[in-house]
Amino acid sequence: MMNHVLSAITAALALFAALAAPAFAQSQWDGVDRIVVIGDLEGDYAKFEDMLRVSGLIDTDGDWAGGESHLVQLGDIPDRGPDSRAIIDHLRRLEPQARRAGGYVHALIGNHEAMNVEGDLRYVHPGEYAAFADRRSERRRSQFYRATQRHLRANPPESGVPVFDDAFRARWEDAHPLGWVEHRLAWEVSGEYGQWIADHNAVIRINDTLFMHGGLGPSFADAPRDAMNDAVRSALRGEPSAAYPDILVNQEGPLWYRGLSLHEEQAEQAHLDALLAFHNVSRIVVGHTKRAPTVLPRFNGRVLITDIAVPAGYQDPHAFLLIESGAPVTVHRGQRVPVTAVSHAETCAYLASVAALDEGHSPVGELAAACAAE
């Protein structure tokens, strides 16, 4: 839950941000020849930068070199890793550069972006707070501690006003490390990063492909893209829509649904067919759910999962997806593998081709063997 004291400090700014925020009318792009798709990053900037370089989207200075390419980052930039701020700063730098070159950077909203804006900090890495700390952080934290004391005295919890002794202060500081205050101010919807997040889309269509973080469940089978995007942005700004009031937490909504990634294909097939028909696309690309240590095709390639699972002791392959002239290609350890998965046999062959790029024991090889045995 968002800290009440911090919310009070920024409430007026949040209202201003809601009134001043630009409207995103566009959720569809056609005629795009090259799309680079990167799944969940979870605070790993080195991984992100490597993917940008391997895909040819940036030059040696880190500036946009992708021409008219579109970069789609599927959300879940923050949490579990220390370098979300560096990733977001780089994306913000690339956005105008790409537009000037005729390309585009799509930073989609995932469930962890929404959690950070709303103050759900369960998965925030300590390094995230440290990235915001500066020489004035100690003073800011002390000011916030005194504000917290005043708030608790004026609004005592059911257990009563706590004793503000050294032990209480130590526990409080442990829960609010240096940089915590700055992190929260930046991630509030009125803040530098919160406002940036709330200016983006959750669901987009490029050519014949639908992109989102999680997926869409049955209750969202006929939900228009623009309506969902407006609902997500409005909810982040504290103004839930009447049509989708719980879209930020709804387990069938675009930030959370896992059915396309986890459910048995036969059971999910009719729902997938309905989604593809409603949005007039041939495939859906998602992140959010870790199923394999590479890009994983399901439903004979009509769903592609880009959230990469890295088993313990296994080197991250920095796998991501390219769609060039309509053809999907996995880049795994810098090598290209066409996603020719229009049948079960071709899916197995694709996994075997990816496994051949791994040295020694390959978890992808285990998937390929299991696939062939089905």
Side-chain angles (χ1 to χ4, degrees):
M1 180 180 295
M2 180 65 68
N3 186 284
H4 294 295
V5 180
L6 204 62
S7 294
I9 293 172
T10 57
L13 292 175
L15 175 61
F16 174 79
L19 294 174
F24 258 68
Q26 187 172 3
S27 65
Q28 178 174 333
W29 290 260
D30 294 298
V32 178
D33 188 60
R34 186 171 189 262
I35 309 167
V36 178
V37 188
I38 294 176
D40 306 40
L41 291 167
E42 298 175 343
D44 190 339
Y45 177 71
K47 174 179 178 176
F48 177 56
E49 185 180 40
D50 182 60
M51 290 173 166
L52 293 178
R53 293 194 186 284
V54 169
S55 63
L57 290 184
I58 60 172
D59 60 21
T60 55
D61 295 321
D63 292 317
W64 183 261
E68 297 181 353
S69 298
H70 281 224
L71 166 64
V72 180
Q73 200 288 313
L74 290 167
D76 277 14
I77 293 171
D79 293 342
R80 297 191 172 92
D83 295 322
S84 300
R85 188 178 191 184
I87 296 171
I88 293 175
D89 286 348
H90 203 164
L91 283 168
R92 293 171 68 196
R93 171 180 159 193
L94 292 176
E95 282 178 323
Q97 295 177 351
R99 294 293 294 273
R100 288 194 295 269
Y104 213 105
V105 173
H106 307 272
L108 302 188
I109 301 170
N111 61 307
H112 281 267
E113 279 79 10
M115 290 166 70
N116 272 260
V117 172
E118 295 222 299
D120 185 341
L121 311 180
R122 286 174 290 166
Y123 302 102
V124 175
H125 189 282
E128 300 279 55
Y129 300 131
F132 284 87
D134 59 31
R135 61 186 178 85
R136 293 185 291 273
S137 291
E138 187 71 62
R139 183 176 64 183
R140 292 192 195 100
R141 184 172 67 170
S142 294
Q143 291 171 339
F144 185 55
Y145 177 72
R146 290 191 292 273
T148 300
Q149 287 179 308
R150 292 193 296 269
H151 177 80
L152 290 173
R153 289 189 177 108
N155 304 275
E158 291 184 4
S159 57
V161 177
V163 176
F164 297 117
D165 56 11
D166 289 345
F168 177 90
R169 180 69 178 261
R171 290 193 302 271
W172 187 90
E173 289 190 352
D174 186 59
H176 302 82
L178 294 178
W180 187 96
V181 172
E182 294 86 348
H183 177 277
R184 294 313 310 134
L185 290 172
W187 274 93
E188 285 254 357
V189 74
S190 59
E192 181 181 5
Y193 295 105
Q195 187 171 347
W196 180 80
I197 294 295
D199 283 346
H200 286 75
N201 284 317
V203 186
I204 62 172
R205 174 187 162 182
I206 305 177
N207 300 338
D208 65 343
T209 303
L210 194 66
F211 300 90
M212 72 200 78
H213 178 65
L216 294 171
S219 61
F220 285 80
D222 58 355
R225 289 187 302 279
D226 289 341
M228 288 188 287
N229 287 326
D230 288 343
V232 169
R233 288 191 292 267
S234 294
L236 287 173
R237 296 182 178 119
E239 299 177 352
S241 73
Y244 309 106
D246 64 345
I247 194 167
L248 296 185
V249 296
N250 192 308
Q251 297 299 300
E252 292 195 1
L255 308 189
W256 285 96
Y257 188 63
R258 297 185 189 273
L260 298 175
S261 300
L262 293 179
H263 290 172
E264 292 290 337
E265 292 189 12
Q266 185 175 0
E268 193 80 358
Q269 187 68 60
H271 171 56
L272 174 60
D273 290 343
L275 285 175
L276 295 173
F278 181 80
H279 292 280
N280 191 27
V281 295
S282 62
R283 72 174 69 89
I284 297 175
V285 178
V286 298
H288 186 50
T289 305
K290 298 184 188 299
R291 289 292 311 272
T294 195
V295 175
L296 180 66
R298 299 197 79 210
F299 302 93
N300 294 333
R302 295 198 294 168
V303 171
L304 299 174
I305 306 170
T306 65
D307 188 6
I308 308 303
V310 183
Y314 181 71
Q315 185 181 16
D316 192 322
H318 292 189
F320 62 92
L321 178 68
L322 288 177
I323 303 176
E324 295 181 310
S325 301
V329 176
T330 292
V331 179
H332 185 97
R333 303 197 188 283
Q335 303 299 310
R336 298 161 61 100
V337 180
V339 187
T340 51
V342 296
S343 67
H344 178 75
E346 288 193 356
T347 299
C348 298
Y350 158 78
L351 291 171
S353 296
V354 173
L357 301 176
D358 293 335
E359 295 181 3
H361 172 72
S362 170
V364 185
E366 295 178 6
L367 289 175
C371 181
E374 293 178 359

